[in-house]
Amino acid sequence: MKTALFNQLVQADMMRDLFTEHLGWNKPSNKFPIYVAGFEGAFKPLAERNSFHVLMADAAELPSPSALKRIDSQLRPKAEDYIAIFRLKGESKHQLWMVPVKKVEKRDLVSVEFDAPYQTEYLAQKLSLIEFGIEERTTIVDVKARVHKAFLVNSEQITKDFYKGFKVQHKAFAAQITGINDSVRDADNRDKQWYASVMLNRLMFCYFIQKKGFLDGDLDYLTHKLEMCREEEGENKFYRKFYKAFLRRLFSDGLNSTERTEDFKRDFGRIPYLNGGMFDSHELEKKYGDIDIPDEAFDSLFGFFGKWRWHLDTRITQEGKDINPDVLGYIFEQYINDRAQMGAYYTKEDITEYIGRNTILPFLLEKTKKSTKETEKSFDPEWGWVWRMLRESGDKYVFDAVKKGYSDDWRSAIPDEISVGLIREEEREEAMLPVTESHLNLLERRRLWNAPTPAQWALPTEIWRETIERLERCEDILSKIKNGEIHSINDFITYNLDIRQFATDLITEANRRGYIMWVYRFYDALRSVAILDPTCGSGPSCSLR
């Protein structure tokens, strides 16, 4: 969508036309406003596409990131998938868009705010990605994929752009470190390269917490302290060089210590204690006692960091230069995994998410179930509200990847030359299972099944044989859910269902029904759980999570 047209529609207060006339969305099937607790305004339906909703609400003030999370928890039971547009009362041109997206099967909230026409180009570009043709056939999975792809640009492409600059800064920073095998060429000096990574990771972490005001309430704490060290250098005071006289003490006596002397408070201000191991005295600092880094190294680094907007949440601003904690994980993935000699390895989020989801949540739900007779009744396969909620959930807990291309009529909707290879129920009865390919001339009927599946139906690289197998499995799982054949927490693992979403919905439903003791029992289980991760490191991404 062209930015000029987007601005024109916003200024003319034609937000519904934006979606229904220009982006190919449909008029909302439900035109009644949606009210949520904790928010004074009402959400008016603007448009929808395959049950993906676009909502708008006028607000006296735009919600904060924490308020957006509360609003999302209230909206989800009424509109699971949506784009929510908050408009400042009396100012149709000042808006904040919130979009829940899934990254590694985890729900994040992405927000984009603008209050002037020159700030809207970034959002207008995103809207071009969620435009649909009049005759285009889509499912909710297709719409979600398009919307999520559009609003996940921040955590993918922008982070990669940041990493390109990070590599340049890392090389320049390492070159200015002294006191670590100075006679060895920088490119071959493994310890110097390693220590540069240690320092940059510490400083990136500090950038996040300073932007939240946690470093003496100063959003530019590090830059201001660097300037102060320069002003006082040479005087008969504590400060000399930034690295030796300030940073090392900030790390060891501040962020890594619970004790605060009056001298420390005067010189450093209010500093939090962070129990994560990142600011412990590093083994390289113990091995090399004369490490030093000139102030000029920090000029360049802080100048680079200052070009980006640092957030502890997933908001996006119109500049498209936003960095959130995901960047630290990405840097570990790209930088550390290529340097195994450092003795550091990064486990990607999709792996840790899968392990954590399928071990911790089953434990918590089983412990909740067994905590009292009342909670055990709630898990009764036939009468309990837990499994009744699952039976009535449709395809909600089946992952989108499994549902790609699925619909109730998928067997008749796929091309005839492919559907001819499906075994019809009457054929199964006549052949008296098991049916082999030779029974029904399936080799001939399925001769095209090894061809690539079109994108409308397929996951990446799938052929028709794989697509058909996945759709049949999806059909079987949905049948088991509807018929009540899934009534064990471990079944969520067996059938690869979204147990994270299920657990979240159980807590929400228990609270809605007034089953407060059920929520308390789950909280007790959460407080008592003990987790042993023998491979857990002390990297910054661990600390931020």
Side-chain angles (χ1 to χ4, degrees):
M1 166 165 285
K2 293 184 178 179
T3 307
L5 176 58
F6 178 68
N7 288 333
Q8 179 183 345
L9 294 169
V10 169
Q11 293 183 37
D13 195 15
M14 299 175 67
M15 299 303 295
R16 175 168 294 177
D17 288 351
L18 166 66
F19 284 90
T20 59
E21 301 297 327
H22 299 278
L23 296 178
W25 290 60
N26 304 316
K27 293 180 179 180
S29 56
N30 178 15
K31 298 182 180 180
F32 294 101
I34 299 174
Y35 296 90
V36 300
F39 182 71
E40 294 182 358
F43 290 89
K44 301 174 184 177
L46 294 184
E48 97 180 30
R49 179 102 189 179
N50 298 106
S51 298
F52 198 110
H53 306 273
V54 181
L55 310 170
M56 171 170 273
D58 290 322
E61 60 179 10
L62 297 181
S64 65
S66 58
L68 290 177
K69 291 182 180 179
R70 291 193 296 271
I71 292 170
D72 175 60
S73 67
Q74 296 289 326
L75 273 178
R76 288 174 69 176
K78 304 168 185 178
E80 175 69 20
D81 302 298
Y82 63 85
I83 297 172
I85 303 171
F86 298 88
R87 182 175 57 184
L88 200 60
K89 284 183 178 178
E91 299 184 42
S92 62
K93 294 175 287 187
H94 192 171
Q95 299 182 2
L96 183 148
W97 293 41
M98 174 175 74
V99 185
V101 299
K102 272 199 171 184
K103 182 182 179 185
V104 196
E105 305 307 337
K106 182 177 65 176
R107 187 181 180 96
D108 284 332
L109 297 181
V110 174
S111 60
V112 184
E113 181 180 352
F114 64 87
D115 61 2
Y118 70 87
Q119 297 176 341
T120 57
E121 181 178 358
Y122 189 63
L123 183 55
Q125 292 173 352
K126 292 183 174 298
L127 295 184
S128 299
L129 301 176
I130 58 173
E131 183 176 355
F132 299 92
I134 297 176
E135 301 297 329
E136 186 174 353
R137 183 184 185 275
T138 58
T139 66
I140 180 63
V141 175
D142 301 318
V143 179
K144 286 169 65 175
R146 295 264 284 270
V147 174
H148 291 190
K149 181 179 179 180
F151 285 90
L152 274 176
V153 173
N154 179 57
S155 57
E156 296 176 0
Q157 186 58 50
I158 292 176
T159 303
K160 291 178 181 179
D161 292 341
F162 176 87
Y163 177 62
K164 291 179 183 177
F166 173 86
K167 289 194 295 184
V168 174
Q169 292 297 322
H170 186 282
K171 182 178 180 180
F173 193 86
Q176 297 187 73
I177 298 175
T178 59
I180 300 180
N181 294 332
D182 292 331
S183 60
V184 178
R185 194 167 66 97
D186 286 344
D188 300 325
N189 193 332
R190 286 167 35 180
D191 282 355
K192 183 177 287 190
Q193 297 292 330
W194 184 6
Y195 192 62
S197 295
V198 171
M199 285 300 299
L200 264 61
N201 286 328
R202 286 172 171 174
L203 291 170
M204 282 194 295
F205 190 99
C206 288
Y207 248 77
F208 278 117
I209 63 175
Q210 80 172 0
K211 293 303 180 183
K212 293 293 290 184
F214 295 153
L215 297 182
D216 199 33
D218 187 348
L219 302 186
D220 292 302
Y221 180 85
L222 293 176
T223 299
H224 290 159
K225 291 302 184 182
L226 175 59
E227 294 170 353
M228 186 178 68
C229 286
R230 283 198 167 118
E231 291 172 359
E232 300 185 352
E233 184 179 347
E235 298 183 15
N236 187 22
K237 292 188 176 183
F238 170 81
Y239 297 103
R240 298 184 301 278
K241 293 292 186 180
F242 182 64
Y243 169 75
K244 277 192 172 181
F246 184 83
L247 271 188
R248 289 290 293 269
R249 193 175 174 203
L250 171 68
F251 294 160
S252 61
D253 299 341
L255 298 170
N256 198 51
S257 175
T258 57
E259 299 179 2
R260 300 286 188 274
T261 65
E262 289 303 317
D263 286 346
F264 182 91
K265 293 177 182 178
R266 183 190 67 245
D267 295 333
F268 290 82
R270 295 185 60 186
I271 303 298
Y273 165 60
L274 302 175
N275 182 19
M278 183 186 296
F279 300 101
D280 285 344
S281 181
H282 196 272
E283 61 181 272
L284 290 175
E285 293 166 340
K286 297 174 182 177
K287 181 178 179 180
Y288 302 100
D290 295 323
I291 300 176
D292 199 6
I293 307 172
D295 289 355
E296 292 72 24
F298 298 97
D299 285 331
S300 175
L301 183 64
F302 292 170
F304 170 69
F305 285 167
K307 296 177 181 178
W308 301 83
R309 299 173 69 98
W310 300 71
H311 312 295
L312 286 175
D313 49 64
T314 50
R315 79 186 76 171
I316 297 177
T317 56
Q318 62 275 0
E319 294 92 343
K321 303 272 295 179
D322 305 271
I323 300 298
N324 58 54
D326 286 346
V327 69
L328 300 186
Y330 182 85
I331 287 175
F332 259 56
E333 175 190 345
Q334 298 295 318
Y335 197 81
I336 299 299
N337 276 352
D338 292 339
R339 289 155 176 78
Q341 70 270 23
M342 293 181 181
Y345 297 87
Y346 173 73
T347 305
K348 295 180 66 175
E349 188 178 1
D350 55 347
I351 298 174
T352 56
E353 159 71 20
Y354 180 84
I355 295 172
R357 183 182 73 226
N358 292 329
T359 54
I360 299 172
L361 287 175
F363 170 83
L364 293 176
L365 291 172
E366 280 293 333
K367 194 170 180 65
T368 302
K369 173 185 174 181
K370 297 176 181 178
S371 58
T372 67
K373 290 184 179 179
E374 197 63 32
T375 56
E376 194 161 11
K377 288 181 182 178
S378 69
F379 285 87
D380 182 272
E382 188 171 355
W383 305 108
W385 65 267
V386 169
W387 300 118
R388 183 166 64 252
M389 189 181 82
L390 177 64
R391 290 195 297 271
E392 297 171 354
S393 66
D395 64 357
K396 184 175 184 179
Y397 304 114
V398 179
F399 286 116
D400 287 347
V402 179
K403 294 186 291 188
K404 173 65 176 176
Y406 181 83
S407 62
D408 291 339
D409 62 346
W410 71 269
R411 291 175 178 272
S412 59
I414 61 176
D416 292 341
E417 63 270 22
I418 300 299
S419 63
V420 70
L422 297 172
I423 302 175
R424 296 183 295 276
E425 192 60 37
E426 56 269 25
E427 289 180 324
R428 291 185 180 277
E429 294 174 357
E430 292 173 7
M432 299 180 63
L433 289 177
V435 176
T436 64
E437 292 192 350
S438 59
H439 275 109
L440 304 171
N441 195 26
L442 292 183
L443 285 176
E444 173 60 25
R445 289 163 54 181
R446 294 177 177 178
R447 58 188 175 81
L448 298 179
W449 277 28
N450 288 329
T453 312
Q456 176 184 353
W457 307 92
L459 295 176
T461 75
E462 267 190 343
I463 61 174
W464 271 113
R465 187 176 298 276
E466 295 167 329
T467 302
I468 295 297
E469 182 179 354
R470 176 174 53 77
L471 294 176
E472 288 181 333
R473 177 169 174 77
C474 180
E475 189 175 59
D476 179 59
I477 292 172
L478 290 174
S479 174
K480 283 180 165 57
I481 291 174
K482 183 178 180 180
N483 296 329
E485 297 177 45
I486 296 179
H487 45 70
S488 164
I489 296 301
N490 287 334
D491 286 343
F492 270 76
I493 315 304
T494 302
Y495 295 103
N496 191 29
L497 298 175
D498 191 348
I499 192 172
R500 175 199 281 269
Q501 183 68 58
F502 186 64
T504 300
D505 290 346
L506 285 178
I507 296 170
T508 302
E509 180 67 8
N511 190 54
R512 187 187 70 82
R513 290 169 173 260
Y515 299 158
I516 304 302
M517 293 308 299
W518 197 100
V519 180
Y520 284 160
R521 297 287 79 81
F522 186 93
Y523 180 63
D524 287 341
L526 185 62
R527 292 177 62 195
S528 66
V529 66
I531 301 172
L532 171 64
D533 181 356
T535 64
C536 182
S538 59
S541 55
C542 289
S543 301
L544 279 171
R545 289 175 191 156

